[in-house]
Every structure is written in structure tokens, then in C-alpha cells.
Amino acid sequence: MDDDRLVAVVTGANRGIGKAITQQLLLQSSKPLIVYLTARVVDRGQQAFDELRREQLRGGSNALRQNNELRFHQLDVSDEESIRAFIDYLTLVHGEHSIDVLVNNAGGVVRQNDHIVRTCDAETAAQCVQMNYFTAVNMTTWAVPHMRRHGRVVFLVTALAHLGIFSGDLPRVLTSDELTLAGLHIIENGFVSSVGKGTYAAYGFPPMPYAVAKAGLIAYARMMARITASDPRGLLFASVCPGYVKTDMTGPYAPLTPDQGAETPVYVALTDSKRLQRHNGGLWKHLKPMKW
């Protein structure tokens, strides 16, 4: 078993906001910390690890003086066997309760011939919901039993996923204290099905697969805060909008850098839990809680 440093995991961390979050976790943590930079493709993850490690060594950063450590591990959040193997590794190295922070960053948009697909068809909707909603939920489901005391789970979402994009009963259902995981799955799968039938508008959905998937995560964070409220570990869940950040997904004209986009996720990941507890399950942007 490894030492008693805090353990943070960032998914999809080989580039963009995920890589910036990984770096800022190392630089800003006031407690000794191990950060797992994870990526689906080993070569890309190893390259990101090497780049961040060189920056640490070259800069003589506080992260090294505080005994913080960067580690790389392959993780494909769309593959349950990959998730299981990673969780098994963490429990072997760090003990049964092995995670202090999980940042669910992995996700993205559907691409075809290296171009973003902007149409709302059944195939695009299914892929987008799978890669942005179901993968993060599955990763969290595996991780939560192994979270430590005051552990926290952060979901990267988007301001596009606000309740105003939905109509009919959906806003009420998504914010209901009676919402279950099975019910949330039905909503996300129902969106995909209704897109295929051309009836999504009649059910209150917008033609925005990415936003619908991320709205599912916002509802999921709220739900998890509610159903774990009596857990003696005092777990925290949060959805974070990083802002309009310049990445491979958004293009070169977005106004924020990845480092700027990483500020709020890192703040939520590291701030004292007593300051965050009353906002458990909430949505954050610009270092502040915001109304969904």
C-alpha cells in the first residue's frame, strides 16, 4: 500500500482543459497530492505526462517542494473493463478507499473526417450521449465506493446545458428530488430515441445532443448529492462550467485559455469541504455557484 497523500484522478487529461486541470492540481494543492493523469491512448497520455513532468522539473515548482507527484495510467472510460482494471490498481496501491478527487473531464463532440458533426441525427445523438453522459456516470459508479472521507466528484459540463433549453415537464423532472438514476437514463435514452423518430421537440428536447448529455450530468450530480447525504464520508458532487475555452473542440476563437478554464474545477476539487457543503450537487462557474 502507498503513502497517505491525497489521490486525485483526472479523466481525458492528455490535452486541453483536462491537462490544465492536472497541472493546476499539482501546483495549487496545499496538501501532499498524487495526481493520476489518465488518457485512452497510451502514447498521447505518456506525452502529456512527459511534458508536465519536464515543466515541473524545469520550473522548480511548489508541486515538487510539497511532495506532490504526477502519475500516468491508461484509462478508457467507454470501456468498463478498463475502468475496472484502473479501480483495481488504485485499491491495490492506495487501499480500499483510494480516491479523494475524481474529475470527470473525458468527453467531447462527434467528429466525422476530423470535422465536428453539427447535425442532430440519431447516430450523432446516440454517440454524444454515450461519450458525455453514460461514460461519466459509469466511471463515477465504479469510483464512489472507493472514495475517501470528504471525497469529491467533479463533472465538466457546459453553460449550454441550462434548464431553459428544455420545455414541457422536463425542467421539473430533471430538478425533482424524486428523480432516480433509472429515470435519468430513461430521459437520456428517450432523447436519442425521439431524435431518431423526429419527435424530440414534442417531448421537450432541443436539437442539441451535447447539451442534453451534459444536462444529464448536472442532474446526476444533484441526485448523487441527495442520495449520499447520509453517507458518513461526507462526499461532495459538483458540476462545473469552465467557460468558453479554446480547445480542439471549440476552435481558436474561444476567449479563454485552458488554464483559465481549469480554475473553477480545481477550486471545487481542492477547497475546504465545509465551504462547499451547502452547495453540494450544485453547478459552478467563475469560482461561484450558479443557478441551473
Side-chain angles (χ1 to χ4, degrees), residues 176-250:
S176 171
D177 287 342
E178 303 301 318
L179 182 64
T180 64
L181 183 57
L184 191 50
H185 285 357
I186 288 172
I187 291 172
E188 293 293 326
N189 283 323
F191 167 68
V192 174
S193 176
S194 67
V195 168
K197 297 174 182 176
T199 58
Y200 60 86
Y203 288 99
F205 293 109
M208 303 164 64
Y210 182 73
V212 171
K214 292 297 189 178
L217 290 184
I218 296 172
Y220 178 64
R222 292 167 55 95
M223 185 192 74
M224 288 300 293
R226 172 170 48 85
I227 66 177
T228 62
S230 61
D231 191 308
R233 291 175 294 172
L235 303 181
L236 288 165
F237 298 85
S239 302
V240 177
C241 173
Y244 192 28
V245 177
K246 188 181 303 180
T247 65
D248 291 345
M249 187 174 76
T250 59

Side-chain angles (χ1 to χ4, degrees), residues 159 162 241 282-286 288-292:
H162 59 85
C241 173
L283 177 62
W284 291 74
K285 187 178 182 181
H286 300 317
K288 297 178 181 179
M290 61 179 292
K291 185 178 180 180
W292 186 19

